[in-house]
Amino acid sequence: MKRSNWLASRFEIINAILIAVVALTTAFAVWRTNVVGSIASDESRDGLIAAIKKQALDSENYRKVYEEAGFAYQFAVKQAEVEALEAGNNPVQQAQAANIRQYLLPNMQLLGQPLATDEKYQNTDGTYDLQKRLADMEAAEQEQIDPSASFKRADSFFSQQRWLVMGSIFLAISLFWLALAEVGSERLRGWQFTLGLVTFLVGVLWFVAVELIFIYMRRGGS
Amino acid sequence: MNETVAAPIKAQENSERYKTLIVALTVFTTVLAAVLAALQADASIRADIANRESQYLAVLASGELTRAGLESNYEFIVFGDYLKNLQEATILELTALEQETNGEEEAAQSTRELARISQASADAGESFSVFFTDPRYAPQSENDIPQADQYITDIFEKSNEIVAQQNAQADAYNAWDRKADLYITALTVLAVAFFLFGLAQALKDARLRLMFAFLGVVVIGISLLIATTTLII
């Protein structure tokens, strides 16, 4: 009874302190939510920069492959021309073929390398395997840029931000009930205070749970 | 004596009337603002993701267009070179026939040799051209020409698909961004309600307090209407 009186006489002070704690927790939750949102935006930005870099490298690879393919094609056609000259009976043409084979073809082959020089890029019908050359160029790149990794992390942070915002609603509702307990009738203030306190605890637990779950998920939990 | 005591009490009661209601309405507005802020944050996050996806797809579309341009350029150069060699071979063959008709046997033999060389170059080029090696574009019969239109359609198909996806993401961004803006509008309207409730709390006249509270409720109604409409669209 004595204890009950002590609590009743100091209810407004205890409730006011709790309101202050809830308000501070809400401010912290909002700050953390914004930090998470900022990290998500940074990851998105990193992903876009990586995508542009990767695209620039891919475009350069394609340009180089088709440049090499053009030289290798010219070499193949000139080689066919020389073979046709050699096959003829005309001694002038045969001499011409010999000179082309000795002086021109090696230079054209050098221009068309590695397609025209490396057997692994040559198909059985005499054409070239451009896809294999492209795959080798991509594999040889020192830096393997992967924008999807940044996008995946950004999505994870965006999702965390969303769940944290949901948690802030619990804290706001807690403020609502605690404020009602402060100004409400004595008959109901006990229930209102309990409801406010429970909602606050749910909000805090929600916040901690969201943080822990997303840390676990980002470490490869799922 | 009694009358002098009762009057200030009555005046004090009058100045305190509806204050609890105002506090309750203010706190309700706070919760509503929290919910609207959450909805606004969600719409904003979705807009951010759609915006990023549209930008990423624009980069991919640009790269794919570059790739398709380089590939088609190579293929048409090979095809053009093949046509040139083939026409040279045909013209030289016709010239040789003409020379034979004129009785210039030696010249005809020499021209025929040149025609054979051009034909050899054309044959080599043919094996490199997608217009002869790929059944989708190769001529259906000897007198047909390659399906260059089909090739153009196919080679830009992927970039067109990416552009369509990019457009869809850009539309999604606009839609979510509009929603986020509307939630901001609802929140701004709600700020007016806060002002009205604050004013009502400060007033001493109970009737005026009730009037401001009523106006605040009307403003909350407008905010709720905007928020609900935004949620539905």
Side-chain angles (χ1 to χ4, degrees):
Chain A
M1 190 69 184
K2 209 173 182 181
R3 186 178 164 78
S4 174
N5 283 339
W6 181 89
L7 199 66
S9 64
R10 285 163 179 79
F11 176 82
E12 284 185 1
I13 295 168
I14 293 167
N15 196 29
I17 291 168
L18 189 61
I19 287 172
V21 171
V22 174
L24 275 173
T25 311
T26 309
F28 176 75
V30 169
W31 167 79
R32 177 63 190 155
T33 307
N34 279 313
V35 167
V36 168
S38 179
I39 295 170
S41 296
D42 287 348
E43 289 288 350
S44 276
R45 183 177 162 275
D46 287 350
L48 281 173
I49 290 170
I52 290 167
K53 279 183 182 171
K54 188 178 187 318
Q55 202 56 66
L57 279 173
D58 285 352
S59 293
E60 177 55 21
N61 285 344
Y62 276 114
R63 189 202 62 74
K64 204 162 185 302
V65 161
Y66 283 108
E67 184 185 76
E68 289 172 3
F71 287 132
Y73 160 77
Q74 283 167 9
F75 164 72
V77 170
K78 184 55 83 178
Q79 200 172 29
E81 187 185 316
V82 169
E83 281 165 7
L85 284 168
E86 286 169 342
N89 297 322
N90 191 332
V92 176
Q93 285 179 349
Q94 282 179 343
Q96 191 186 350
N99 277 320
I100 293 173
R101 191 173 280 285
Q102 191 177 352
Y103 299 112
L104 185 60
L105 276 183
N107 289 330
M108 289 184 81
Q109 193 173 18
L110 277 177
L111 269 175
Q113 69 174 344
L115 293 174
T117 52
D118 198 332
E119 279 185 6
K120 70 176 177 177
Y121 298 124
Q122 288 161 15
N123 295 323
T124 48
D125 62 352
T127 57
Y128 305 111
D129 192 342
L130 302 186
Q131 290 309 313
K132 184 167 177 54
R133 172 71 183 129
L134 194 68
D136 283 356
M137 283 170 93
E138 283 170 356
E141 276 158 15
Q142 294 287 313
E143 198 184 354
Q144 295 296 323
I145 303 168
D146 183 16
S148 64
S150 291
F151 289 153
K152 205 177 162 192
R153 276 198 301 274
D155 287 347
S156 167
F157 280 111
F158 274 133
S159 185
Q160 184 181 355
Q161 185 190 10
R162 190 178 285 127
W163 287 108
L164 287 177
V165 169
M166 302 284 180
S168 301
I169 296 175
F170 283 111
L171 297 175
I173 291 169
S174 163
L175 270 180
F176 169 80
W177 287 113
L178 292 174
L180 274 189
E182 192 73 12
V183 297
S185 64
E186 281 190 28
R187 193 169 52 87
L188 289 173
R189 61 169 29 170
W191 284 107
Q192 289 163 343
F193 177 80
T194 311
L195 213 53
L197 184 64
V198 168
T199 320
F200 169 62
L201 291 175
V202 168
V204 171
L205 278 175
W206 179 286
F207 185 85
V208 174
V210 168
E211 283 286 340
L212 292 177
I213 287 168
F214 277 92
I215 287 172
Y216 173 71
M217 279 167 69
R218 277 195 289 274
R219 282 187 178 171
S222 69
Chain B
M1 189 70 183
N2 278 346
E3 275 177 16
T4 51
V5 175
I9 290 169
K10 200 176 177 184
Q12 197 181 349
E13 272 179 6
N14 190 41
S15 70
E16 291 298 315
R17 272 178 81 183
Y18 307 122
K19 273 205 168 177
T20 309
L21 173 72
I22 304 296
V23 171
L25 280 171
T26 310
V27 179
F28 170 73
T29 313
T30 309
V31 175
L32 190 61
V35 174
L36 280 179
L39 286 171
Q40 197 278 333
D42 180 59
S44 189
I45 289 168
R46 286 173 195 271
D48 279 352
I49 292 173
N51 188 32
R52 183 198 72 198
E53 286 299 310
S54 78
Q55 287 174 356
Y56 176 55
L57 287 165
V59 172
L60 287 187
S62 143
E64 178 55 25
L65 277 171
T66 306
R67 188 203 66 76
L70 286 165
E71 189 185 321
S72 58
N73 188 42
Y74 166 78
E75 290 299 345
F76 279 107
I77 283 175
V78 170
F79 184 53
D81 200 47
Y82 160 79
L83 284 179
K84 182 186 78 84
N85 288 327
L86 189 70
Q87 283 181 35
E88 271 178 13
T90 310
I91 288 163
L92 286 166
E93 199 66 48
L94 287 170
T95 310
L97 280 171
E98 215 172 271
Q99 286 167 333
E100 268 180 356
T101 312
N102 295 339
E104 299 162 9
E105 287 296 330
E106 208 171 308
Q109 182 65 28
S110 178
T111 310
R112 191 154 281 134
E113 279 294 310
L114 290 174
R116 196 172 53 79
I117 291 159
S118 290
Q119 187 60 52
S121 298
D123 290 345
E126 192 176 349
S127 63
F128 279 86
S129 176
V130 75
F131 295 112
F132 296 101
T133 53
D134 193 325
R136 287 174 298 173
Y137 317 120
Q140 300 300 309
S141 66
E142 213 170 282
N143 294 326
D144 279 350
I145 55 167
Q147 312 287 313
D149 288 349
Q150 186 59 44
Y151 172 75
I152 294 284
T153 307
D154 287 354
I155 201 155
F156 288 107
E157 191 182 4
K158 195 177 171 189
S159 57
N160 286 337
E161 272 175 24
I162 297 171
V163 169
Q165 287 172 9
Q166 195 271 333
N167 285 337
Q169 287 295 334
D171 289 346
Y173 162 70
N174 284 327
W176 282 112
D177 192 48
R178 202 178 312 120
K179 277 196 175 202
D181 288 349
L182 282 167
Y183 286 130
I184 290 279
T185 310
L187 278 167
T188 312
V189 173
L190 218 53
V192 178
F194 271 120
F195 167 74
L196 291 170
F197 292 140
L199 210 61
Q201 191 77 330
L203 288 169
K204 285 200 166 65
D205 189 327
R207 277 200 312 172
L208 268 178
R209 179 176 297 145
L210 201 60
M211 195 189 79
F212 274 102
F214 174 73
L215 284 175
V217 170
V218 170
V219 171
I220 287 177
I222 294 168
S223 178
L224 273 174
L225 184 72
I226 296 168
T228 314
T229 316
T230 309
L231 203 63
I232 292 166
I233 56 167

